[in-house]
Amino acid sequence: MTKDFEIFKQISKEANSGLYKYRTKQQIDSIYNWANHQIEKIKSYREFYNLIFTISDFEGSCHNDVSLSKKYTENLKNETFGYFPYPIKWIEGKWLINMSDKEIPLGAEIITINDVPINNIIRELYKYYSTDGNNLTGKRIGLMKYFSKYYRLHFGLTKTFVISYVNPNSKHLETKDIQSIGNKTYFENFKKMHSMSVDQYYYADLKENQKYNYKQLNPSTGILTIHTFIIGDIQTIEHKKYLHFLDSIFVNIKTQGIKNLIVDIRNNGGGNDPNDLVTYSYLTNRSFQENKQAWISFKKIPLMKYYNIGIPKFIRPLVVGKYNIEFQTIFPKEQNGKYYQDENSDDHRIRTPNLNAFNGNIYLLISPKVASAGSLFAAMVAGNENTTTIGEETLGGYYGHNGHSPLSYKLPKSKIVITFSAVNLEQDVPKRENQKYGRGIIPNYEITQTFDDFINNADTQMNFTLEFISKK
């Protein structure tokens, strides 16, 4: 563990350009020193994995990830007991049962699990779902889906769960012993969770015609919904169809004289360039670029002998050489140990508003699921003077993030794989008083689902927006 941890630190310092994006060198050194002392107390492989994940999460990037060895992961998938049976959801500061079940009622507020307060458990599990900077809302979204898996990773296999909860019907505190279930059974339960109709989670698997849509509500208001930017790159037919869709609807919006446009990206976790940028060109009246600057922390990919490249060793030098040539071509300018992106690159190209760009009132709906290219798009739109942002803080950062080029390394002894994005990006967005560095996009109106709306599966944020437009 000590040897693997030293290699982990070396990789982070030499290859991860986002290591000091949100933390000072003193803070990073401090958590490394803390980890060195923790290693002396660790007694299991799982505990070492949790230690590495804790540090990776502390760095603050939604593209950070720590994966168990392939063998260990396969064993987890096939475990037939030890998992918490119910999906949960954060509502009004409480963690509620998000499934109709005869054992514990829907909407029951969890107080303790096996005598441990739920808030203490949540704090321990936050590390497994990385977010940009100091964001916590995105971590709640991760726990909503993966609570059972994370509980198992942190606390180990648990045969029985003693759950103390407040019954939503009687308002009394009750306790029940619930038997654990297997990994696969939990995810079957998750697909049946009560709020699935509101909290969609499978946009990566959507068919092409389900990824985006537009509808006109009345003579003055329309809704543009973009569930994902996984719509192909510039060379694909799917991307070209999306361009045709955008041009068609914005011509229609102009023709119909639409004054209010609701842009709903609450489920958009990112995707391909330039789908985010092309979409923004229809929603702005300013010239813009993808980012103001971008840099990496190396000239050649360091520590390649640990790189998780997945190819035979005899052709590895050829592949490594190709990777390095690409990085050096894209990031040729060295300054103070940083290698900056070519100013003439496509990412820095000045883009102009589309001729059919919308100039009316924009109402941007955001949520903690919004990240990566989704949060870049959201930040740009939120920066418009004609935009009102509604919902919850995004997982992805407002001023920037680490993205674009993922790097993966395998620690030699534990076979744990660490992944992070190499490019430190500063987004082309204006400074705003309500947008703090190290946070996601902060809405003008923070609207979260109420308990009654949760039970009735009502769309609290959309209802607020429609009422807001009506009053205005």
Side-chain angles (χ1 to χ4, degrees):
M1 289 189 293
T2 300
K3 290 179 180 179
D4 265 16
F5 183 62
E6 288 303 314
I7 292 167
F8 168 78
K9 288 194 296 183
Q10 191 177 1
I11 291 168
S12 297
K13 289 180 178 180
E14 295 186 27
N16 189 349
S17 64
L19 185 62
Y20 305 115
K21 191 175 184 74
Y22 302 110
R23 311 297 179 202
T24 64
K25 185 178 184 302
Q26 183 179 9
Q27 288 173 320
I28 293 295
D29 288 344
S30 177
I31 197 170
Y32 284 165
N33 290 335
W34 168 81
N36 280 325
H37 292 298
Q38 294 302 307
I39 286 176
E40 298 173 7
K41 307 173 187 177
I42 287 174
K43 298 179 181 179
S44 72
Y45 178 83
R46 178 176 57 82
E47 290 175 339
F48 180 64
Y49 166 76
N50 287 334
L51 179 68
I52 296 294
F53 225 134
T54 298
I55 299 168
S56 177
D57 174 61
F58 180 74
E59 292 169 4
S61 173
C62 71
H63 291 104
N64 279 16
D65 191 35
V66 181
S67 305
L68 289 159
S69 70
K70 186 175 181 181
K71 181 179 179 180
Y72 202 107
T73 300
E74 288 301 316
N75 288 339
L76 287 177
K77 288 180 180 178
N78 295 320
E79 288 176 335
T80 57
F81 77 97
Y83 289 76
F84 191 80
Y86 307 120
I88 63 175
K89 185 174 182 179
W90 184 90
I91 297 290
E92 298 179 327
K94 302 172 183 178
W95 288 95
L96 309 183
I97 297 293
N98 190 12
M99 183 178 174
S100 297
D101 182 83
K102 61 182 179 181
E103 294 285 342
I104 298 180
L106 170 69
E109 178 194 351
I110 302 171
I111 304 299
T112 64
I113 299 176
N114 292 341
D115 294 325
V116 180
I118 185 63
N119 288 335
N120 292 1
I121 294 171
I122 295 301
R123 280 195 296 271
E124 294 288 357
L125 305 191
Y126 268 165
K127 61 179 172 285
Y128 296 113
Y129 204 78
S130 297
T131 59
D132 283 346
N134 302 305
N135 175 277
L136 293 179
T137 57
K139 292 180 178 295
R140 295 182 200 137
I141 293 296
L143 287 169
M144 184 174 166
K145 183 174 183 180
Y146 297 110
F147 177 81
S148 186
K149 174 186 174 182
Y150 295 163
Y151 190 101
R152 185 265 180 266
L153 288 173
H154 183 81
F155 293 101
L157 288 170
T158 306
K159 190 173 182 179
T160 303
F161 295 95
V162 181
I163 305 173
S164 174
Y165 61 93
V166 175
N167 190 311
N169 302 313
S170 67
K171 308 300 181 184
H172 293 155
L173 184 66
E174 300 178 10
T175 301
K176 280 195 177 178
D177 293 7
I178 303 294
Q179 294 301 306
S180 67
I181 60 176
N183 182 296
K184 293 178 181 177
T185 306
Y186 167 75
F187 282 103
E188 289 172 3
N189 284 351
F190 172 77
K191 293 176 185 178
K192 301 173 186 174
M193 71 177 183
H194 168 76
S195 67
M196 182 58 82
S197 62
V198 173
D199 298 306
Q200 298 291 333
Y201 266 86
Y202 297 101
Y203 287 117
D205 302 324
L206 285 177
K207 296 178 182 178
E208 187 176 330
N209 62 356
Q210 297 173 314
K211 294 181 178 180
Y212 49 85
N213 62 74
Y214 172 78
K215 63 179 179 180
Q216 185 172 330
L217 294 180
N218 55 52
S220 64
T221 304
I223 301 178
L224 172 63
T225 303
I226 309 170
H227 294 311
T228 180
F229 284 126
I230 303 175
I231 317 175
D233 59 32
I234 197 168
Q235 298 175 336
T236 64
I237 294 175
E238 186 179 11
H239 171 74
K240 292 174 182 177
K241 287 182 179 178
Y242 181 59
L243 295 184
H244 176 74
F245 163 80
L246 289 174
D247 194 57
S248 174
I249 66 158
F250 278 98
V251 167
N252 180 62
I253 286 170
K254 180 177 284 190
T255 303
Q256 295 294 323
I258 297 296
K259 297 178 180 179
N260 306 300
L261 181 63
I262 300 170
V263 181
D264 185 358
I265 60 163
R266 286 175 292 173
N267 292 291
N268 196 317
N272 311 97
D273 284 340
N275 298 308
D276 48 354
L277 304 174
V278 172
T279 310
Y280 180 65
S281 73
Y282 285 91
L283 297 168
T284 186
N285 57 13
R286 72 177 178 100
S287 296
F288 65 97
Q289 55 193 134
E290 180 170 358
N291 52 67
K292 292 180 180 179
Q293 68 173 19
W295 58 271
I296 59 176
S297 56
F298 53 84
K299 184 174 183 179
K300 294 183 178 180
I301 302 175
L303 302 164
M304 284 302 299
K305 64 180 178 179
Y306 304 119
Y307 196 70
N308 189 37
I309 204 164
I311 60 173
K313 288 186 178 181
F314 69 90
I315 63 170
R316 183 173 293 190
L318 296 175
V319 177
V320 172
K322 180 182 177 183
Y323 284 178
N324 282 328
I325 289 172
E326 289 179 356
F327 272 115
Q328 290 165 17
T329 301
I330 298 170
F331 302 93
K333 183 181 177 182
E334 192 274 335
Q335 186 176 341
N336 298 325
K338 299 176 182 178
Y339 296 85
Y340 287 85
Q341 192 170 36
D342 185 352
E343 293 177 358
N344 296 317
S345 70
D346 193 57
D347 287 358
H348 294 307
R349 174 167 64 88
I350 301 298
R351 301 168 184 266
T352 56
N354 190 280
L355 293 175
N356 293 310
F358 178 73
N359 293 313
N361 302 312
I362 298 173
Y363 299 90
L364 179 68
L365 300 191
I366 59 173
S367 84
K369 297 177 194 172
V370 178
S372 195
S375 60
L376 168 64
F377 171 79
M380 287 180 157
V381 177
N384 292 347
E385 293 297 330
N386 61 333
T387 296
T388 301
T389 308
I390 297 166
E392 299 175 75
E393 180 183 356
T394 62
L395 182 157
Y398 176 80
Y399 289 107
H401 65 283
N402 258 55
H404 287 197
S405 301
L407 297 179
S408 290
Y409 289 86
K410 183 183 290 184
L411 303 181
K413 299 296 182 182
S414 62
K415 308 302 179 186
I416 288 172
V417 175
I418 58 172
T419 302
F420 50 87
S421 287
V423 185
N424 194 318
L425 305 164
E426 181 185 347
Q427 293 168 182
D428 182 15
V429 295
K431 290 186 177 181
R432 302 184 77 87
E433 285 188 15
N434 71 323
Q435 297 292 169
K436 306 300 182 184
Y437 185 77
R439 297 286 298 275
I441 292 92
I442 307 294
N444 299 113
Y445 295 91
E446 183 179 3
I447 305 298
T448 59
Q449 198 175 40
T450 64
F451 178 81
D452 288 341
D453 282 354
F454 163 67
I455 295 297
N456 296 316
N457 269 328
D459 190 338
T460 309
Q461 293 159 349
M462 183 62 78
N463 291 341
F464 171 88
T465 304
L466 295 174
E467 185 177 354
F468 185 87
I469 292 172
S470 176
K471 288 181 179 179
K472 190 174 180 179

